[in-house]
Every structure is written in C-alpha cells, then in structure tokens.
Amino acid sequence: MSEILKAREKQIYRKDEHDFDLACEKQSLAGSVSQRACVFCGSRVVLYPIADALHLIHGPIGCAAFTWDIRGALSSGPELHRLSFSTDLREKDVVFGGETKLYDSLVELIDLHKPNAAFVYATCIVGLIGDDVDAVCKRVSQEKGIPVLPVHSEGFAGTKKDGYKAACEAMMRLTGTGPTEGISPHSVNILGDFNLAGEIWIIREYLQKMGVEVVANVTGDGRVADIQRAHGAALNLVQCSGSTIHLAKMMEEKYGTPFMRVSYAGIDDMASALYGIADFFGDEEMTRKTKELVKAELDAVFPEVRKYRKKLQGKRAALYVGGAFKAISLVKALKLLGMQVALAGTQTGNAEDYALLKDICDPGTIIVDDSNPLELCGFLKEKDVDLFIGGVKERPIAYKLGIGFCDHNHERKEALAGFVGMLNFASEVYATVMSPVFKYKYRDCKNERNRESA
Amino acid sequence: MSAIESLHSQTEDNAMVVDITKMATTKEKRKKAVSTTNACKLCEPLGASLVFRGVEQSMPIVHGSQGCATYIRRYIISHFNEPVDIASSNFSEAETVFGGAPSLVTALDNVIAKYSPKFIGVSSTCLTETIGDDMSAIVREYKKDRKDMLLPEIVTASTPSYAGTHIEGYHAAVKAIVEQMASGGPKLDKVNVFPGIVSAADLRHLKEIFAGFGLDYTLLPDYSETLDGSSKCEYENIPSGGTTIEAIREMGRAQGSVLFGLTQKSSQTGAGELKKRYDIPVHKLPLPIGIEQTDRLMRVLEQISGQPAPKFMEEERGRLVDAYIDGHKYIFGKRAAVYGEEDFVVSMAAFLTEIGVRPVICASGGESGRFAETIKKLLPEESEDIQVAEGVDFYEIGNMAKETGVDLVIGNSKGYRTARELGVPLVRVGFPIHDRIGGQRILSVGYRGTQNLFDTITNTIIARKQDSSPVGYTYM
C-alpha cells in the first residue's frame, strides 16, 4: 500500500497474513503526521482532572491555549482545573530566564484561587533557558504551605508515555502525606479514568453497591487530599494502563499496594472487573452483592443492546485510539454489537497489549501502531468500513470518506463506561451508522460518471 | 497614503488598558496580572499553519516537538471540521544539543515521499528558535544535496510563540511566502489581496467582490476550499484549492496590493514586503465589516479597477441599510464586549457603533501597540464609554465586563465561559468556533456579511427578550 512509509512497515500487522512481530513504543517518524502529541500532552491529560489543584503551564502561550478546557474531566465540586494558567513567557524571559515570572505567577495565582496543590508543567524551552523549576516550586511550597509540584514534561524529551510517567511521579509525591485512619479494608483507588463524561461516577456507584470504599480518584473528579491518602487503600484499580500504571507500580513498591488491571468499557470487561474486585477481597457478602448488581444491570441493558445488534449485525468497524487497553475493550464491545472489526490501532500500545489485541481480533484485521492520516485513510478505504472510532483528529478523515464516526476521546459528552455506557455506545454507533445522510455522499461521483459517459 | 495608513503611530504601549479618549489620565491604569489565565490569543505557528494550508497542494511542517503540530491540527480541525494534515519534524532530545537539522531533513523527505506536495511551508517553534536552528540554511543545504530532484517550493517562516500571537505568525508566514517566492518583472494587470484571518465564507465572498469589479486578483492565503471542501468521491491527501504557486510568483508584478487589517506594521506584512522589494503600492484597509468599512473598500476597488461597484453590491448595500432601519430600535444603546484579533475587533467596534450598539469593551490578547489608536481613528468622537484593552486574557475581559456591565458578548467560542458567567448571550464570530458547527461558514465581510452579523446580533437580543418575557409574545 503506497500510503505506508518504509520505516513504518514494521508497525503494521495483518492478522494471520504474516508472523506477529509488531514494532511499537518508538519515537514517531519525522514528517509522518503522527496522531500523537508530546510529553507535555501526556502529563497534562493525566493530571488535568485534579479539580482543586492549580495547573500552571510554564512556557510560551501555545501549550496552555491548546489545552484549555480541552475535554470533559467533569468535577462534582471545584472546577479550578478548567482554567488555563500560563506564565506566557516572552522574548525577554527567554533571554533572561523565567524563574521570576514563574515565582510571581505562582504566588499571584495561589493567593487568588487558594488551591490545595499546584502542578507546574515545564514545557520545551524551560529546560533550555535553564530555569530551576524545582527550586521555585520548593520555595513557593514553603511560603504558601501547599504542595507545589514540578512536572518535567518538556515536549521533546520522549513520547506521550514519558509524560504519563512524569505525571505519575508528581502524584507519587502527594501520596503518603495524608491521614489513613478510618479507611475500610475493602477500599480501592481508581486509577486511569478521567471522568470525561461522568464515567467515574458510574464506577463509584457500582463499587458503593458492592460495599467497596473509594479512597482516591486518579484522576477523574480528583482531589488533592484524596491522592494524599491514596496509600491507605487496599487495592489499586488500573484502567488505561499506559497512563497510570507507573503510579501503581511505584505504590506497590513503596506501600505494598497491589494493583489490578481493569477495563470499564463494554459489558464483559465491566463485569469481569467487578468480579475480579470481589474475588480480591474474598468477601462472600460482597460477591453476592456483585452478582446481584451485575444481574440487575445486564437485565436492564441486554434487551436494549439486542435491538441495536439486530440493526448493526455484520457492519464493519475500524478503531484508532490512544491506549491499547481501550482498543481491546472496544473490540469486544463491537463484537457484542455483532460488528466486525477491520482495523484496530493505537498511539501508545506496548508489545504485551498488542499481543492481547491480536488474539481477540479476526483474521485479516489490521493492527497498527502510531498511525497517521494517510495510512488510516488507506486502511478505511481498503476495508470499506461503516464506522470509525477515534478522537478529534480522526473524525474529519471518517467524515470526508463518508463513514460514520464515534468519538471515544476528548469531545464525547456521553459516558461510555459501565453497563449503561455500553448502551450509550450502542446508541451512538447506531445513530451514526444508520444516519440517512451518508446516502448522498456518492452524488458527486455519479455526476462525474454521468459527465464522462455523456 | 490614505488617512487610514497615516494613523499608525509607533507607540508601543504594551499590555495595558487604555481609555481611548482620556488615555489613562482620569482612569487609573489597571494592575496587570503577571500570569495569563484563559488566553485570548494563540501561538505563532498556528497562524503560520493556517496560512500554509491556504496554498495550492501544500503541506505545512512545524519544526519542533510532535505536540506542537498535533495540538495545532486538533485546534484547527475543531473549527473547520476538515482533515488538517500538518507534519512535525518531531524533534528529539539529542537534537536540542546538536541541532534539529536531521529531523527537519527527514520530515521533508517523508512529506515529499508521501504527499508529493507542490509547496511545503515550514514554521519554527519556541524550541527550535531557542536552540538557534537556522531553517533557511538547513533548507538551502537540503536543496543543494538534492539538486537533481524536482523539489517542491519550500518556504520557511520564523514563528517563535514567545515573540507574538497567532496573528504575528500568520503575517510572518504570508511575508515569508512572498519574500521567498515572488519575483519582479513587467507589470501585470493583477491585484494582490491579503485578507487576514477570516472565515472560508469570507474568503469566498472577497473573491466574488474582487471578481465583481472585473479584477484579476491573487488572494493569499486562500483556504476557502482547502479548509472547507465539499464531499468528494475520492479522498484527497492534500485538499484541492489554495493560492496557486504560479500566482504567488507573479505577486511581485501586480499593480497594487489590498491589505486588510490596520494594526500590523506594514513592514511585517506580505504587502509591505512587496512594496519594499517591487514598489507595489499598498491599500491598507480595515476588514470590511459594516457599511463604512465596506464603502472604503468599494472606493478603493473603484479606483483600482476604474469600474463602478457591481450591481449586486449596490443592491446588498441597499438591503442592509433597509435592515438597519427595520431593526434599529431593538438594539440601540445595547452594550457589547468584543474580543479577538485586533483587526477583527477594530472593524467589529466600528460596525457596532454604526448600528447604535456600544462596544464598551474592545479587547485582544494581541499587543501590536496600535490597537487603541486604530479604534480611536475609526470610531466617532463621542466614545468616552469605550475601553480598549490590549494584551489581555479572558480573566481580565470578564472582570472588565462585570464592572462595566454588558448586554452581549461578541467573538469566538473561547468567550463562552465569560458570557455564561455574565449571564448574557454570546454571538459567535471569528476564530475559533469550537462549540458550534459551521464556524468556517460564518460570513462577516462585505455588505452581505454585515447583513448576516446584523441579523444575528439583532435576533439574539430579540430572542433574549422574548425568552425572558413572562408573556411569550409572538410578534416583535
């Protein structure tokens, strides 16, 4: 296929057509129009939903402007995270250094907004101009009496995944600093859900019904004080493994907190997550409640899902999302709707993720790492799909090709997690795949053909 | 030189709020915050990328971290709802020490291999400017090493985000294109048009207007089709449309240039560059929003073309005046906060005063140093109630609006939060429109665009009154 650059061939796999040895976790190829962002982006998306913290972006204006209120990250209380704070560095700061401006900005904003912590994101040029961000943070922290945490997220210093890691390291510094008295032995932290459209509230409700206490949300609808006492939880639930697995591993090492990888997308994965939690605690009462919960939810959801399935049976879908865990759940969810998955790709999957993904995909399915618009366009055309699932940057590709689209990232407004999320998902897929507007898409071609034959 | 051109004093009164009639003599200067909260501006490479997307068969490359290109793509996509491919040189850590030449070279190679563009526009970023990458030298070497290959035009623009806003980036890219591609020679019967940041619908209408005067024009940039394309049988790797390479080369031989926007120094614009190099006269005009501003354009085009305004313009002007009179009572004395790019705000403010709405806050994140002066020159004498604020963010705009009280807010989607907090409607116009579809199709230039704005603003105010009426009347 001509859309594929030679240097990228190893990052594309067609199931059962050749041996599986997918290259991944590589730096994006220059000039290939990767759909990925940068280190800063990784840190920003992970920490962003902590709603009572000040998120100050130290650098020129772009990084802050582009991430202002960029996605749902709903909060049940404070909404400080929805403001976009920047030191807005100028030429003279680049020449003389930005430390004073950083200090003054932090003091000014902390006095004004009274946050419970501050995160300071170092962007590309901060390291180059030699600002000692750590020292400024330390000083302000002492003066203001709140944690002020540097996040080393210089955009060029790795990939988005390194940004996740930097975010985890900043959060790790918060853990272990709050009181843990009174935390139930049946307690968890929810890692890797960002509450874009209220997902974490759905999960918390399930856990509450099971009798499980949630100590900290990491980070959807997150609070500083909760993360400070996160080490008191008995278990870490890790979704979206790329973004927060590093925190889970650090907490395991330092506090002995075990972690469990879960996914809340789709009926199967949601149910097995809840059963897994009940098994972990080994509490009979909890197991009984979990069974009740799952049964009640399935009874409510299944008949509806079946209706959609009737209509969607046999339709073809493609997906290209950020993390591989999400991709795996989506493949299962699409199968539940009777749909065929023709393409499954991710920006940041690792070898282990891709092996799992390969196992659940049908022969011929394309699995791709760190793709780009031209490749994706080629795959979509080749597989002649009815639906494409992705984020904002994938949407116009689908629409230009006249293919239905479902946003599984920043801009969605309906929760796709949990049992109810499966229904929301089915309803959105149905709305786009069955829309009558697509029948007009070939009109121009017909006209052109008519002209040719005339 | 027109009166408009002569109004550019060189004062660089950065980052302060100016009462334009009393100039901070009776009104205390606001204490400017050190930090920026909810910026009313974007970064330079975004402006440059927008320009580069408006050239025929073009691919933009942002020389910097992967994130710059990706964020810019995402931002522009959310406004235009179109595929916006922008490549990145994907700068890595080692290159901060050794320079970014290898990654830029790889990016050029890969973009050429995959997209076969006729044109590549490279913009720099904070990062590559700070380490001192000399992009023009890198490109020169690149071309030298590939002497035998048929290469696309490669234009480089210096656009570090710390040195200005997306407007400076926009103009830097336009200037770079003409500087590096246009050449002189015998005069052609053509006119150059530099539109500034306007919508795709605006660009289409400008073309219609210039064609209506029988003028052969070159519009740079022209993203009217590249960023607002139709549904096609085949996916175009690079969307069709855009200013042609050939037309750009001939821009040095035009009879004149029409430059929309008064706040940029001429020397920083494409039109100014062509004046300097090839002595092509510049007609510097405000964005044609409102009757007065569009009339100015009509006069200039009559002069350039030697033809009267086309009939459709006369008719649209007549209908617009008729509509102004039909709707005047609903909007008279209403107070508006207007924000966005300086040149946009200047023309919007002039238009609002024309219909009896008071633009009590005129605000921008830009800091050209000419904002207040320009507004002062365009607005009538009695404008004591108008505050002009440059270099401000939405936090500041919100505070000003709370203090002075406004009935509506006019500008891009980023003012939604402010409008919501104030409990007043937002009339969406400008860039970006992220919370509605069709931002690229909002028409605001010419009599027709003014008509659209007038109807929208008037109906917004009527709707607000109707919706909050206990009676729910069904006539106005």
Side-chain angles (χ1 to χ4, degrees):
Chain A
M1 196 169 117
S2 65
E3 290 83 5
I4 298 160
L5 287 161
K6 192 95 190 127
R8 282 205 26 81
E9 281 171 359
K10 292 281 282 177
Q11 283 166 278
I12 297 154
Y13 167 73
R14 286 162 188 271
K15 182 161 174 181
D16 296 347
E17 290 177 16
H18 49 91
D19 290 342
F20 180 70
D21 179 22
L22 193 74
C24 54
E25 299 192 273
K26 291 169 68 171
Q27 172 110 0
S28 299
L29 193 60
S32 70
V33 195
S34 168
Q35 306 290 76
R36 284 180 185 167
C38 57
V39 181
F40 163 72
C41 171
S43 295
R44 182 80 170 121
V45 292
V46 170
L47 296 173
Y48 172 66
I50 303 174
D52 58 345
L54 181 88
H55 299 269
L56 176 62
I57 296 162
H58 186 36
I61 200 62
C63 309
F66 295 134
T67 53
W68 174 18
D69 211 13
I70 192 170
R71 55 184 192 168
L74 306 182
S75 166
S76 54
E79 294 200 315
L80 190 54
H81 68 303
R82 295 187 59 197
L83 301 178
S84 159
F85 301 112
S86 170
T87 51
D88 194 358
L89 294 183
R90 307 298 178 83
E91 202 136 20
K92 66 171 180 357
D93 306 313
V94 175
V95 178
F96 299 109
E99 284 179 27
T100 313
K101 200 167 188 187
L102 174 59
Y103 174 81
D104 290 344
S105 297
L106 272 172
V107 168
E108 170 182 272
L109 292 168
I110 290 170
D111 287 348
L112 183 64
H113 297 288
K114 313 261 181 295
N116 292 328
F119 293 101
V120 177
Y121 301 76
T123 61
C124 282
I125 64 168
V126 168
L128 297 178
I129 62 176
D131 280 4
D132 189 344
V133 176
D134 290 24
V136 175
C137 288
K138 198 170 165 193
R139 180 178 163 205
V140 176
S141 179
Q142 278 161 1
E143 287 175 15
K144 296 292 168 188
I146 60 164
V148 180
L149 303 160
V151 184
H152 289 287
S153 53
E154 286 86 351
F156 58 84
T159 66
K160 193 172 170 184
K161 273 193 172 178
D162 296 290
Y164 295 153
K165 220 170 153 185
C168 287
E169 271 150 23
M171 283 191 288
M172 190 62 195
R173 290 173 63 175
L174 279 179
T175 63
T177 60
T180 55
E181 293 84 45
I183 293 177
S184 160
H186 294 164
S187 57
V188 297
N189 299 311
I190 303 178
L191 274 63
D193 189 280
F194 305 107
N195 207 37
L196 300 190
E199 295 81 0
I200 219 162
W201 297 330
I202 295 171
I203 307 309
R204 285 184 70 117
E205 195 192 314
Y206 294 158
L207 292 171
Q208 194 196 358
K209 283 182 180 164
M210 290 164 57
V212 176
E213 179 185 345
V214 177
V215 179
N217 298 343
V218 180
T219 56
D221 197 14
R223 299 291 182 277
V224 172
D226 293 342
I227 297 170
Q228 286 175 318
R229 55 203 286 274
H231 58 294
L235 174 68
N236 278 330
L237 302 175
V238 186
Q239 199 197 216
C240 188
S241 50
S243 61
T244 50
I245 193 83
H246 187 59
L247 178 65
K249 284 178 178 165
M250 284 190 291
M251 286 182 72
E252 184 175 50
E253 198 182 319
K254 186 163 178 191
Y255 309 115
T257 317
F259 67 86
M260 180 186 290
R261 285 176 68 163
V262 292
S263 170
Y264 312 123
I267 287 177
D268 284 354
D269 285 355
M270 185 68 240
S272 53
L274 297 182
Y275 286 134
I277 296 162
D279 281 352
F280 173 83
F281 290 114
D283 179 273
E284 270 178 35
E285 177 67 3
M286 189 187 290
T287 307
R288 188 186 58 76
K289 283 180 182 166
T290 308
K291 280 181 182 158
E292 267 175 34
L293 166 73
V294 173
K295 184 173 185 311
E297 293 287 336
L298 288 182
D299 284 349
V301 165
F302 248 133
E304 292 296 313
V305 169
R306 243 181 250 128
K307 283 186 207 163
Y308 289 117
R309 187 187 166 104
K310 250 186 204 159
K311 297 283 188 187
L312 295 170
Q313 188 80 43
K315 302 270 185 198
R316 280 181 303 278
L319 57 97
Y320 185 75
V321 294
F325 233 62
K326 198 194 286 183
I328 291 165
S329 292
L330 282 170
V331 170
K332 291 183 193 166
L334 288 163
K335 285 189 164 180
L336 188 68
L337 291 175
M339 297 178 75
Q340 295 168 11
V341 180
L343 162 74
T346 87
Q347 291 176 22
T348 57
N350 63 31
E352 197 186 333
D353 298 330
Y354 283 122
L356 264 174
L357 191 57
K358 186 206 77 167
D359 286 344
I360 60 164
C361 283
D362 297 324
T365 303
I366 298 169
I367 296 175
V368 61
D369 178 66
D370 187 22
S371 195
N372 56 63
L374 290 192
E375 278 178 19
L376 290 171
C377 180
F379 296 144
L380 296 179
K381 283 196 292 196
E382 177 195 328
K383 295 289 182 182
D384 190 22
V385 298
D386 305 286
L387 170 74
F388 189 23
I389 302 175
V392 181
K393 294 183 297 290
E394 287 79 30
R395 185 179 61 210
I397 301 172
Y399 286 172
K400 266 293 171 250
L401 288 168
I403 294 169
F405 180 77
C406 171
D407 192 322
H408 207 278
N409 200 357
H410 296 292
E411 292 193 357
R412 73 186 138 98
K413 299 290 178 282
E414 305 298 330
L416 300 181
F419 301 100
V420 63
M422 182 67 214
L423 259 196
N424 291 339
F425 177 65
S427 137
E428 192 178 338
V429 168
Y430 179 77
T432 191
V433 170
M434 304 306 285
S435 171
V437 301
F438 293 107
K439 76 176 179 209
Y440 297 103
K441 72 180 174 180
Y442 293 124
R443 187 186 155 138
D444 286 352
C445 312
K446 276 185 201 146
N447 286 349
E448 273 169 33
R449 273 185 222 120
N450 290 345
R451 270 199 296 276
E452 277 164 24
S453 58
Chain B
M1 180 182 274
S2 71
I4 303 295
E5 267 190 296
S6 65
L7 61 78
H8 300 295
S9 63
Q10 296 298 311
T11 48
E12 300 276 346
D13 48 350
N14 284 349
M16 59 179 206
V17 171
V18 191
D19 180 317
I20 58 161
T21 48
K22 297 172 189 170
M23 299 299 284
T25 46
T26 54
K27 192 176 177 74
E28 209 183 320
K29 263 189 212 174
R30 264 167 207 277
K31 188 179 166 289
K32 175 85 171 120
V34 184
S35 58
T36 295
T37 302
N38 300 343
C40 184
K41 60 178 176 181
L42 294 159
C43 73
E44 287 214 24
L46 179 135
S49 298
L50 207 51
V51 170
F52 291 144
R53 279 264 60 124
V55 175
E56 173 197 26
Q57 288 301 304
S58 149
M59 268 301 287
I61 295 178
V62 177
H63 184 37
S65 296
Q66 180 66 53
C68 302
T70 303
Y71 276 131
I72 289 169
R73 288 178 62 207
R74 183 195 188 284
Y75 208 86
I76 298 178
I77 287 171
S78 291
H79 174 86
F80 288 95
N81 285 304
E82 290 284 317
V84 180
D85 289 8
I86 297 169
S88 171
S89 62
N90 199 356
F91 210 87
S92 69
E93 192 148 23
E95 284 164 315
T96 60
V97 183
F98 303 112
S103 63
L104 183 53
V105 166
T106 311
L108 286 166
D109 278 345
N110 283 336
V111 163
I112 291 169
K114 285 295 100 183
Y115 286 86
S116 315
K118 282 191 185 173
F119 174 101
I120 294 175
V122 189
S123 50
S124 61
T125 57
C126 326
L127 173 66
T128 51
E129 291 284 340
T130 306
I131 64 162
D133 263 5
D134 182 351
M135 296 192 306
S136 53
I138 298 170
V139 169
R140 217 168 26 246
E141 278 298 305
Y142 183 84
K143 286 180 177 165
K144 213 167 83 188
D145 293 347
R146 289 161 184 74
K147 271 200 301 284
D148 304 330
M149 283 173 65
L150 191 63
L151 291 175
E153 287 286 343
I154 304 172
V155 167
T156 59
S158 167
T159 51
S161 177
Y162 50 72
T165 71
H166 59 302
I167 287 298
E168 279 74 27
Y170 177 99
H171 286 290
V174 173
K175 185 180 164 185
I177 291 173
V178 299
E179 190 179 63
Q180 293 163 44
M181 284 174 66
S183 49
K187 287 282 178 209
L188 296 168
D189 201 12
K190 291 183 86 169
V191 53
N192 303 321
V193 189
F194 296 97
I197 296 188
V198 292
S199 76
D202 288 333
L203 292 175
R204 288 192 285 269
H205 190 41
L206 285 175
K207 293 200 278 192
E208 190 183 354
I209 292 173
F210 278 78
F213 279 91
L215 290 165
D216 189 0
Y217 58 84
T218 299
L219 180 69
L220 180 72
D222 178 6
Y223 46 77
S224 63
E225 202 182 331
T226 55
L227 289 178
D228 193 18
S230 59
S231 168
K232 296 200 171 70
C233 326
E234 284 298 319
Y235 186 92
E236 298 174 319
N237 291 347
I238 300 178
S240 47
T243 317
T244 65
I245 307 296
E246 198 190 340
I248 294 170
R249 292 210 181 98
E250 289 177 354
M251 287 179 92
R253 297 163 64 191
Q255 301 289 338
S257 296
V258 174
L259 169 64
F260 292 109
L262 304 175
T263 63
Q264 285 286 313
K265 258 191 213 163
S266 288
S267 61
Q268 288 163 352
T269 65
E273 185 64 23
L274 292 173
K275 168 101 175 78
K276 191 179 89 186
R277 288 186 177 228
Y278 309 112
D279 201 29
I280 296 173
V282 182
H283 304 274
K284 198 172 182 182
L285 292 168
L287 271 177
I289 302 173
I291 288 178
E292 300 274 354
Q293 281 67 244
T294 309
D295 283 353
R296 276 179 221 267
L297 173 62
M298 291 302 103
R299 284 196 295 273
V300 167
L301 295 188
E302 279 169 358
Q303 184 207 321
I304 296 176
S305 69
Q307 283 190 30
K311 192 156 169 277
F312 77 87
M313 292 298 288
E314 285 302 327
E315 287 170 357
E316 286 177 0
R317 188 183 193 282
R319 277 197 289 274
L320 177 59
V321 173
D322 196 56
Y324 272 15
I325 295 166
D326 291 344
H328 73 278
K329 278 208 284 191
Y330 306 103
I331 53 173
F332 183 82
K334 296 293 178 195
R335 299 161 63 80
V338 191
Y339 57 83
E341 291 103 23
E342 289 163 279
D343 287 317
F344 166 80
V345 176
V346 164
S347 287
M348 279 300 298
F351 155 62
L352 291 172
T353 55
E354 189 170 283
I355 60 174
V357 172
R358 306 302 304 157
V360 291
I361 295 170
C362 295
S364 178
E367 289 170 286
S368 69
R370 293 167 199 79
F371 189 36
E373 286 299 305
T374 312
I375 289 183
K376 190 179 177 182
K377 281 279 157 60
L378 282 192
L379 262 52
E381 288 291 300
E382 316 76 38
S383 297
E384 289 86 356
D385 55 336
I386 294 170
Q387 292 183 71
V388 181
E390 68 167 34
V392 289
D393 54 24
F394 279 103
Y395 187 78
E396 179 68 9
I397 295 169
N399 283 342
M400 288 168 68
K402 268 174 220 153
E403 201 177 290
T404 189
V406 297
D407 300 299
L408 77 162
V409 170
I410 301 173
N412 58 55
S413 286
K414 298 298 150 186
Y416 176 68
R417 186 190 178 95
T418 306
R420 189 174 163 120
E421 279 169 6
L422 293 165
V424 300
L426 165 65
V427 171
R428 287 173 180 79
V429 53
F431 176 87
I433 305 297
H434 282 169
D435 58 350
R436 291 289 185 275
I437 65 156
Q440 73 274 41
R441 291 186 294 274
I442 296 175
L443 184 66
S444 55
V445 301
Y447 303 122
R448 199 187 299 165
T450 307
Q451 179 79 71
N452 176 43
L453 290 179
F454 180 77
D455 290 348
T456 307
I457 289 169
T458 307
N459 283 332
T460 300
I461 288 169
I462 290 173
R464 175 51 62 111
K465 193 171 174 188
Q466 183 182 34
D467 290 347
S468 53
S469 150
V471 179
Y473 47 79
T474 51
Y475 282 89
M476 292 188 296

